[in-house]
């Protein structure tokens, strides 16, 4: 059987399939449906220094081949994570990666410092791309200066593998990727959601309480694949691809475009066991194409 | 309660009228329908849908153990549910179930209990009524709809309790909204309610004003159904924003921050 192992700097994954932040809770929500230990990694819900209530309802609307969300980083804060969640998930035989978000640079730093000392957390994903918060989030991720500032500060506070999650809501995603690479990011993950909007024509109001929200699902996949392809050719650090992966073929598209690993997000809502099917498909694909290691086909698209 | 992903087939699609269908589903593998209680719901994948994407959350209408079928009462509320009510017998449907929490119980068996259902909101009330009746409670229903042909499963309700009705056009029961039905003014210890939001709020207001225990079943727009996406939140007085899918869908009105 082909080897699915990949690594992102010092983060060793048994396979390239991770779950995207905000779509998989803390993993335990899916324990009835799948063997969590088969996953390459679990990226847990965006975590901030303080408890956040998130945005008012309604936060979600279905759109063609996708959905808009405006959750707004609802979470109970990093201390709650450390005290109540970490003990429940630290002994899973998969990598647990914490997605870190904040309104101010100091907030990112404070969360990084607290996570740096947790033995079983080998990596974080710095979220500079959440479109659903008024302060911080995407505001950092849409300029090179903003992205550099957060990554520089977080880098000093976190010694292990640091992935930076990029926003697609920019003119040139490669320049942001290069900026965070220059500040010491070990990897970039892309893409976060696209800023979108939907209007109820009967009430003539937006469907979301926040007016705009983040678009995810297969509708964004071709754009995400294109961005992964461009970024993989622009930086030397490994790229993690996500955006509308619904099956094994979709995951392979990202890998062939240059992603070392992938994240499955919205698809978890439709099939809670989809990640297992994707891993099965990758195994079957390697066998069928007589490939000994998935590493051989990363960026392997023939142009 | 452990959750499952399970393939069912449509044993019977009983089309009630142009807007409603009762789907009786049986597990494809011949296993028993999993244990679930009244108030819980399932997430239904809509096959071959061209315009919808997410699963549809549908409350459990009944589990018929003799027939080994799970009943889903479905209203045409958009392209997803329209596809479901038009589905032919023997089509396969993939379900995630059972989700959420059930209704609680009133105190003593002599409690005066009223189950209020409006439109497709009657669905969980039937299952709850059967549970309560089996447990020895006297069961009373207050059911409402636009017109008599939209009063769903009336014969079934009549078999297990006393039924009061309202229709907006007066074609059955009292004329007008359910919230003005004279049965409400009888003496009640516990009211359960599921229906359109204005109706639930009016019932909640009545219950709160009269010191009656009241539980409502919410249907906030949801994506995952398992507490992962945090989209279907309801603001509560004790825990702030909570997921309706995992913390509800049944809530005691005391927990809700409704302005009633």
């Amino acid at each position: 059987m082909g080897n699915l192992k990949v690594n992102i700097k010092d983060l060793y994954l048994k396979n390239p399939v991770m779950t995207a932040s905000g779509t998989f809770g803390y993993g335990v929500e899916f324990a009835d449906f799948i063997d969590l230990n088969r996953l390459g990694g679990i990226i847990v819900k965006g975590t901030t220094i303080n408890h956040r209530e998130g945005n008012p309802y309604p936060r979600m609307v279905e759109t063609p081949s996708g959905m808009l969300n405006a959750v707004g980083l609802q979470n109970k804060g990093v201390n709650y994570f450390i005290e109540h969640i970490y003990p429940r998930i630290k002994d899973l035989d998969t990598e647990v990666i914490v997605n870190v978000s904040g309104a101010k640079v100091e907030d990112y730093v404070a969360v990084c410092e607290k996570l740096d000392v947790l033995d079983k957390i080998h990596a974080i994903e710095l979220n500079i791309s959440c479109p659903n918060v008024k302060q911080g989030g995407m505001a950092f991720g849409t300029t090179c200066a903003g992205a550099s500032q957060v990554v520089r500060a977080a880098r000093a506070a976190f010694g292990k593998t640091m992935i930076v999650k990029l926003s697609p809501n920019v003119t040139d995603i490669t320049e942001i990727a290069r900026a965070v690479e220059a500040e010491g990011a070990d990897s970039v993950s892309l893409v976060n959601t696209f800023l979108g909007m939907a209007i109820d024509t009967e009430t003539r109001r937006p469907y979301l309480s926040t007016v705009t929200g983040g678009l995810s699902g297969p509708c964004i996949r071709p754009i995400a694949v294109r961005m992964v392809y461009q970024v993989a050719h622009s930086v030397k650090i490994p790229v993690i691809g996500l955006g509308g992966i619904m099956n094994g073929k979709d995951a392979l598209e990202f890998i062939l475009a240059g992603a070392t690993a992938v994240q499955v997000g919205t698809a978890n809502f439709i099939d809670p066991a989809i990640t297992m099917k994707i891993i099965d498909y990758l195994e079957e694909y390697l066998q069928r194409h007589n490939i000994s290691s998935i590493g051989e086909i990363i960026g392997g698209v023939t142009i | 309660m452990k959750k499952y992903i399970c393939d069912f087939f449509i044993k019977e699609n009983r089309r009630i009228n142009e807007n409603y269908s009762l789907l009786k589903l049986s597990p494809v593998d011949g296993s028993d329908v999993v244990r679930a209680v009244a108030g819980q719901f399932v997430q239904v994948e809509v096959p071959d849908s061209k315009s919808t994407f997410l699963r549809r959350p549908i409350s459990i209408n009944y589990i018929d153990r003799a027939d080994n079928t799970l009943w889903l009462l479905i209203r045409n509320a958009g392209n997803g549910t329209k596809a479901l009510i038009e589905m032919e017998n023997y089509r396969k449907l993939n379900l995630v179930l059972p989700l959420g929490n059930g209704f609680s119980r009133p105190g003593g068996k002599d409690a005066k209990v009223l189950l209020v259902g409006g439109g497709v909101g009657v669905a969980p009330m039937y299952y709850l009524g059967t549970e309560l009746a089996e447990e020895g409670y006297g069961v009373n229903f207050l059911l409402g709809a636009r017109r008599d042909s939209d009063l769903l499963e009336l014969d079934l309700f009549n078999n297990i309790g006393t039924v009061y009705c309202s229709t907006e056009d007066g074609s059955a029961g009292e004329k007008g909204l359910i919230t003005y039905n004279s049965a409400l003014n009888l003496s009640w210890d516990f009211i359960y309610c599921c229906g359109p939001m204005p109706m639930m709020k009016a019932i909640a207001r009545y219950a709160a004003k009269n010191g009656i225990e009241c539980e409502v079943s919410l249907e906030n727009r949801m994506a995952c159904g398992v507490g992962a996406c945090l989209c279907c939140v309801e603001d509560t007085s004790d825990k702030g924003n909570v997921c309706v899918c995992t913390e509800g869908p049944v809530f005691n009105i005391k927990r809700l921050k409704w302005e009633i």
Side-chain angles (χ1 to χ4, degrees):
Chain A
M1 194 167 72
N3 179 3
L4 285 178
K5 287 180 189 160
V6 294
N7 72 297
I8 308 286
K9 185 79 181 314
D10 299 328
L11 178 72
Y12 291 86
L13 307 176
K14 61 177 77 172
N15 64 62
V17 180
M18 299 190 273
T19 56
S21 176
T23 66
F24 205 67
Y26 295 102
V28 290
E29 292 84 346
F30 289 76
D32 280 350
F33 307 116
I34 64 170
D35 177 5
L36 296 171
N37 297 323
R38 273 196 79 198
L39 290 167
I42 297 170
I43 304 187
V44 302
K45 177 73 194 158
T47 302
T48 52
I49 187 68
N50 296 316
H51 166 101
R52 283 181 58 95
E53 271 296 294
N55 292 320
Y57 182 85
R59 292 177 172 183
M60 190 279 290
V61 62
E62 190 177 23
T63 58
S65 296
M67 58 180 273
L68 281 167
N69 89 81
V71 172
L73 293 175
Q74 179 178 332
N75 80 103
K76 290 183 172 160
V78 68
N79 290 337
Y80 183 91
F81 172 80
I82 293 168
E83 286 161 34
H84 299 280
I85 309 289
Y86 179 64
R88 290 169 68 196
I89 58 180
K90 71 182 177 57
D91 295 323
L92 287 173
D93 183 23
T94 184
E95 290 295 335
V96 174
I97 297 143
V98 183
N99 179 285
V100 175
S101 203
K104 302 194 291 282
V105 173
E106 306 89 272
D107 296 349
Y108 281 95
V109 170
V111 177
C112 287
E113 284 171 348
K114 284 171 185 281
L115 297 173
D116 197 39
V117 298
L118 300 181
D119 285 347
K120 299 288 177 71
I121 301 294
H122 301 136
I124 58 167
E125 181 180 64
L126 211 59
N127 181 0
I128 57 167
S129 45
C130 177
N132 294 322
V133 290
K134 285 201 182 91
Q135 290 175 307
M138 195 172 89
F140 287 117
T142 50
T143 65
C144 289
S148 299
Q149 187 194 7
V150 182
V151 174
R152 190 182 313 137
R155 183 71 283 179
F158 191 79
K160 295 179 269 186
T161 301
M162 190 166 79
I163 302 159
V164 180
K165 188 168 186 177
L166 303 182
S167 171
N169 301 299
V170 293
T171 308
D172 179 3
I173 196 166
T174 65
E175 66 174 22
I176 311 281
R178 284 192 299 270
V180 303
E181 179 183 37
E183 295 297 341
D186 298 312
S187 171
V188 284
S189 56
L190 59 138
V191 296
N192 205 320
T193 54
F194 286 80
L195 198 59
M197 179 172 174
I199 300 168
D200 182 337
T201 53
E202 291 304 311
T203 63
R204 300 179 191 171
R205 291 170 189 275
Y207 278 107
L208 300 176
S209 68
T210 49
V211 182
T212 60
L215 182 65
S216 66
C219 57
I220 70 168
R221 192 174 59 240
I223 318 178
V225 171
R226 181 265 294 178
M227 288 182 161
V228 165
Y229 176 76
Q230 290 176 321
V231 168
H233 284 82
S234 303
V235 296
K236 294 188 177 64
I237 52 177
V239 174
I240 300 170
L242 70 151
I245 294 175
M246 301 301 286
N247 55 46
K249 271 187 172 186
D250 298 347
L252 270 167
E253 261 198 86
F254 280 91
I255 291 168
L256 291 167
T260 298
V262 296
Q263 297 177 16
V264 180
T266 306
N268 292 305
F269 302 156
I270 295 155
D271 181 356
I274 192 64
T275 46
M276 300 296 105
K277 293 173 188 168
I278 292 173
I279 295 166
D280 290 343
Y281 183 86
L282 295 181
E283 284 174 351
E284 184 267 325
Y285 183 88
L286 292 192
Q287 196 164 22
R288 183 157 47 87
H289 289 268
N290 201 20
I291 297 163
S292 60
S293 166
I294 189 91
E296 292 171 28
I297 57 166
I298 294 170
V301 58
T302 306
I303 305 293
Chain B
M1 214 176 275
K2 184 173 159 63
K3 300 185 265 286
Y4 300 86
I5 305 170
C6 186
D7 281 331
F8 285 74
F9 70 95
I10 301 174
K11 195 168 181 180
E12 182 188 355
N13 177 355
R14 185 180 296 174
R15 192 70 186 264
I16 296 166
N17 60 38
E18 76 266 34
N19 288 322
Y20 294 94
S21 235
L22 171 62
L23 299 185
K24 295 187 176 183
L25 309 177
S26 222
V28 167
D29 64 5
S31 62
D32 290 345
V33 175
V34 300
R35 205 173 80 79
V37 296
Q40 290 189 296
F41 66 99
V42 303
Q43 282 267 63
V44 187
E45 196 170 45
V46 185
D48 311 330
S49 174
K50 288 191 172 57
S51 65
T52 64
F53 174 65
L54 298 167
R55 287 175 183 263
R56 292 297 183 265
I58 308 283
S59 71
I60 297 172
N61 179 218
Y62 186 56
I63 296 177
D64 185 342
R65 291 289 167 196
D67 190 37
N68 197 35
T69 49
L70 170 80
W71 296 12
L72 302 178
L73 193 57
I74 299 177
R75 177 175 70 97
N76 175 3
N79 290 335
T81 44
K82 183 168 190 287
L84 288 175
I85 68 171
E86 288 173 352
M87 217 138 272
E88 287 173 7
N89 287 347
Y90 299 105
R91 277 301 300 272
K92 198 177 84 174
L93 287 177
N94 184 268
L95 270 58
V96 179
L97 80 164
L99 301 172
N101 307 290
F103 294 97
S104 64
R105 293 294 180 260
K109 296 279 154 102
D110 56 347
K112 295 188 184 65
V113 182
L114 183 66
L115 282 61
V116 184
V120 78
V122 303
M125 291 303 146
Y126 177 64
Y127 194 21
L128 176 63
T130 62
E131 282 183 348
L132 291 173
E134 274 173 29
E135 290 164 27
Y137 291 96
V139 182
N140 302 275
F141 297 101
L142 172 55
L143 308 175
R146 292 220 170 87
R147 54 183 190 271
D148 59 352
S149 59
D150 287 344
L151 278 168
L152 310 170
E153 301 181 324
L154 210 50
D155 50 333
L156 295 175
F157 284 102
N158 274 315
N159 287 339
I160 52 171
T162 306
V163 179
Y164 306 93
C165 289
S166 283
T167 50
E168 287 175 36
D169 68 356
S171 50
E174 294 184 16
K175 183 176 179 181
L177 294 172
I178 202 169
T179 46
Y180 295 104
N181 192 291
S182 56
L184 258 189
N185 299 319
L186 303 172
S187 161
W188 303 112
D189 299 315
F190 208 120
I191 297 179
Y192 301 93
C193 181
C194 184
M197 194 54 110
M199 179 200 116
M200 287 200 286
K201 285 192 170 169
I203 296 291
R205 188 180 307 121
Y206 178 85
K209 200 173 110 190
N210 293 285
I212 304 167
E213 284 291 317
C214 181
E215 285 185 346
V216 293
S217 177
L218 305 186
E219 52 170 20
N220 292 11
R221 205 184 293 145
M222 66 182 61
C224 74
V226 296
C229 70
L230 310 185
C231 289
C232 62
V233 292
E234 181 70 26
D235 196 8
T236 58
S237 50
D238 56 334
K239 290 189 186 170
N241 283 331
V242 299
C243 288
V244 165
C245 64
T246 50
E247 192 86 14
V250 176
F251 288 89
N252 190 300
I253 59 167
K254 288 173 191 156
R255 292 189 65 194
L256 302 175
K257 289 166 86 173
W258 287 356
E259 285 168 18
I260 52 174

